Structure formats: C-alpha cells, structure tokens
C-alpha cells in the first residue's frame, strides 16, 4: 500500500512538499490496546491508518469512559496532533482497538504543510468537521435516545464491523463505549435476552434477532 | 467600529482580497428572537458580531432544544456558512438572543478566500476548533454532571452575562437551554429556593446565594 494513494491531497502538493512529507514519514505497527495519544500533553502527529482500528474516547474524573468515534482503514487521525490547532482545548485518548499498522506524519511536518498550502489547511478543515459531526451525532444520541436504543445500536454496529453475529465482548467494555456502568449494561442485556434479541454466555453476546434490535433502535422515544 | 479591526486575519490578506471582502460585506441589524440560520439548507455566510448575542442550538424530533454555544461581541459565527465545508453534516439553528448588529460575509466571498489563502483556511480551522471544544465541554457536562449542577452553572453564567443577580427568564427558557422539560426545571428551582440559593417570582429568578450555587456547581458527583 502506497502512502501516495492513501493521502487524499497528495496531488495538490508541490515536489518539495511531497519530498518533505515522504522523508519524515514513520511507519508503525501497534498492538491492540496500545494508547497512541493521551490528552493534550501528547502531540506525536497525524496517523493515517493502513489497516486496523482506532478508538477515540474521553474519560471522566471518576474514570468512566465514553467512545467518541472510531477510525478504520485509510482514515486519518487529526486529534493526535491537536497541539497544532490552539483552539482545540479538550482531552481525548486514542487507543488501538485492533492490531494496527499506520503511518505517522510528524506534527512539525504537517504544521508546515498547513501553513504554506491552502489545500492542506482546507483538507484539515474537512477532517476536523468530520470528527465534529461524529460528536454532534453522539450528543444527540445521549440527549435524546434512551439507553436501550443506544445499546441496540452499539451491538448492531459492532456486529457490522466484525462481520459476525457472535460478539466477543464483555459488559464492562460495552459500558465503557457508552459511558455507563457495567451493572446497567448487564441488566439491559438480560432484558434483551428475555425478549429473544440476544443470547448471553461468558464474554459473548450473540445477536439472535437483528430485525428486532433494529426495530428497537429505530423506535422513537415516547 | 471598523471591520478591519475586528477581522483577525485582515493583515494577512492582500489588497485584492481586502477589496473583495469589503465590497461584498453586508451590515445587518436583527431583533432579538430572529432566526439567523436554520439547519443545513441555509447558507447565508459568516457573521461577525459588532454588538449583541447569538445562540446556537439543536432540536430533537420532539421539539426539545439544547443550547450548544453562545457568541458575543466580536465573535465570528462559522456554522452559519456550514455548506462551505462538506463534512459538516449536522443541523444547527442560530438565533439572536439579544438585538444584534453584525457584518455578514457572504459564503462565496469567504469560500474563495479560504481556497486561495492558507491564512484564511487556518483561521477557519481555529474557529471550528473553538466550537468543537464548546461541544466537547457540553458533552462532558451532560454525561458526567447531574442536572442540579448544570442548572446552577447556567444561572451563574447567565448572571455573569447580564451583570445582574435578578434574571428575567422563564423556566421554559432554562429548560430549552439545558435540553430538558419545564417541569424538571421548576422542581429543581423550588429545591434551590428551599435551600436558600434563589428566590422565585413570576418570570424572575433572583440569585440570593451565589457562593452556595458555586459550591454546588463545583461539587463532584458521588
């Protein structure tokens, strides 16, 4: 896989910029569970994912997590270089959710590109707008969707990512994605099981009636 | 008040760009309550506030509102030109919360600036990052702060904006800012009154013990 084909504005750069970019590029292989970026103190650079999966989440003072967005093959991770843009004043953590292979564009390299190329700066705008949109979507979910719908939506999304109806996932992990407590998820999954939507066993959730889960997820709040 | 002194990147533009900007600038005076932008169908342009106050909010299917951020004198409103950036895929409503005087930079003018000037594109990045930061802050509040703390924080903020301890505001309006129901706010304000923090009368909330409200706002969730 070539960087040139994965970096969307490659053709808008001049030869000097292309060389500078290729010259500073770092290829990394990280294991599942690696924390790639931890709040604003960290500012390694932009990640371009060759293959794998990253998760961005925030953490409460009490240690509760909530997943803000996920990134997949060919996605670019901007917020790992958040120090580049002064007005980004929030803390986000980025971890590898699967074994991941990625290119790292060092902050200084990208920053100099942005400063001299309107194309690079506008591309950065689009990247940030995509993540902003993810967060607005999430906020609407949190505000206006009850938790049963959010759990149903999460299980369906997870099953679609994994291309599998049998999910190897703990109740704790689901709670961390959705920003709630394990006990709450356990209670909800038992209710789903009683309704014939899932089958539970140790460390596994099997989606046995996706249609019913989809109907639940779509249903408007009373 | 001169546009040149209020537009932060004025000095980074060339004479042609400056003339184009001044030539297309529109000065507007809008009354309190005017809806200036309504979702992605609208794309009038960027607002630069001379004096007044704007509020950006989102709306649920059931008509519930939540305030996402507010803008004051000399603030720039980017999301009223959200069509400029394709990846902004959410609907936001912007209304004048007070009588407001503003400059409108038409979308096409600003778009052409962004395309040719890295300085303009990077400034846009900073604007978007500021609003993104507002939204992340709000999400953390919603996720991890109980409603009593959010109501206390809202009353204190409102009092600081108005420079007045006596707020002319209805329970309905507070509910619309915080994304909840009027009845919930009424109950909460009565509790605050019993605790000696506020005094209620028709259409008015008087903050009688700001220290106590501040203490409540800061207090961590158990």
């Amino acid at each position: 896989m070539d960087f040139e084909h994965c970096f969307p504005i490659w053709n808008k750069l001049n030869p000097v910029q292309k060389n500078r970019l290729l010259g500073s590029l770092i290829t990394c292989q990280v294991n599942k569970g690696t924390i790639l970026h931890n709040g604003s103190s960290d500012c390694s650079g932009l990640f371009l994912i060759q293959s794998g999966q990253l998760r961005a989440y925030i953490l409460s003072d009490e240690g509760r997590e909530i997943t803000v967005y996920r990134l997949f093959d060919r996605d670019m991770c901007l917020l790992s270089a958040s120090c580049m843009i002064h007005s980004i004043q929030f803390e986000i953590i980025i971890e590898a959710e699967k074994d991941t292979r990625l290119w790292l564009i060092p902050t200084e390299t990208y920053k100099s590109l942005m400063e001299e190329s309107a194309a690079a700066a506008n591309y950065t705008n689009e990247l940030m707008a995509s993540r902003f949109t993810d967060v607005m979507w999430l906020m609407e979910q949190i505000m206006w969707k009850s938790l049963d719908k959010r759990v149903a939506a999460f299980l369906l999304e997870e099953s679609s990512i994994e291309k599998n109806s049998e999910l190897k996932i703990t109740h704790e992990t689901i709670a961390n994605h959705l920003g709630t407590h394990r006990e709450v998820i356990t209670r909800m999954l038992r209710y789903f099981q009683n309704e014939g939507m899932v089958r539970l066993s140790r460390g596994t959730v099997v989606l046995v009636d996706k249609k019913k889960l989809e109907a639940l997820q779509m249903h408007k709040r009373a």
Side-chain angles (χ1 to χ4, degrees), chain A:
Chain A
M1 200 187 274
D2 287 338
F3 178 79
E4 293 87 326
H5 292 107
C6 294
F7 189 61
I9 52 161
W10 182 255
N11 290 331
K12 295 187 179 166
L13 302 179
N14 66 36
V16 176
Q17 292 166 337
K18 285 179 179 173
N19 280 333
R20 199 193 318 147
L21 194 47
L22 286 183
S24 66
L25 215 56
I26 301 164
T27 306
C28 311
Q29 172 79 41
V30 295
N31 294 331
K32 178 179 168 168
T34 307
I35 301 291
L36 286 162
H37 172 80
N38 192 352
S40 57
S41 54
D42 247 12
C43 203
S44 38
L46 281 85
F47 304 127
L48 176 50
I49 304 177
Q50 294 179 39
S51 62
Q53 189 171 315
L54 304 185
R55 172 172 91 100
Y57 64 96
I58 54 174
L59 206 57
S60 76
D61 293 342
E62 291 85 24
R64 280 166 70 197
E65 299 179 2
I66 182 166
T67 300
V68 178
Y69 57 83
R70 287 156 141 185
L71 299 171
F72 303 94
D73 295 3
R74 289 184 172 230
D75 277 342
M76 176 81 93
C77 182
L78 172 68
L79 294 182
S80 49
S82 56
C83 67
M84 260 180 1
I85 298 164
H86 307 297
S87 309
I88 296 181
Q89 295 288 340
F90 52 87
E91 306 281 316
I92 209 156
I93 303 164
I94 294 159
E95 75 163 347
E97 209 172 16
K98 296 188 175 173
D99 293 349
T100 299
R101 200 174 161 80
L102 51 81
W103 286 292
L104 166 65
I105 308 173
T107 303
E108 279 313 308
T109 307
Y110 196 83
K111 196 162 187 259
S112 70
L113 267 188
M114 257 173 67
E115 276 161 9
E116 62 190 52
S117 153
N122 282 308
Y123 171 64
T124 312
N125 262 317
E126 292 290 342
L127 280 179
M128 187 154 46
S130 297
R131 298 296 82 76
F132 196 169
T133 299
D134 292 343
V135 169
M136 289 297 287
W137 180 88
L138 177 61
M139 199 172 69
E140 295 191 357
Q141 298 286 309
I142 293 169
M143 283 302 299
W144 292 316
K145 270 202 165 179
S146 50
L147 192 69
D148 57 343
K149 293 175 185 51
R150 292 179 58 218
V151 173
F154 175 79
L155 294 174
L156 289 165
E157 188 198 0
E158 201 64 18
S159 163
S160 147
I161 293 172
E162 300 298 334
K163 296 180 184 64
N164 198 333
S165 293
E166 183 172 334
L167 304 175
K168 301 269 175 228
I169 195 164
T170 66
H171 301 186
E172 179 82 35
T173 303
I174 300 174
N176 283 342
H177 277 288
L178 300 178
T180 185
H181 297 283
R182 188 189 53 74
E183 297 75 10
V184 176
I185 295 297
T186 297
R187 206 179 315 130
M188 188 71 78
L189 289 175
R190 281 195 191 135
Y191 163 75
F192 283 8
Q193 182 166 254
N194 291 341
E195 295 288 308
M197 295 187 267
V198 304
R199 197 171 57 236
L200 306 173
S201 58
R202 195 166 187 82
T204 313
V205 180
V206 185
L207 280 59
V208 290
D209 191 342
K210 286 196 188 180
K211 285 229 174 77
K212 209 164 169 184
L213 281 168
E214 276 157 15
L216 170 63
Q217 176 205 352
M218 300 298 289
H219 193 268
K220 277 193 189 175
R221 203 169 208 174

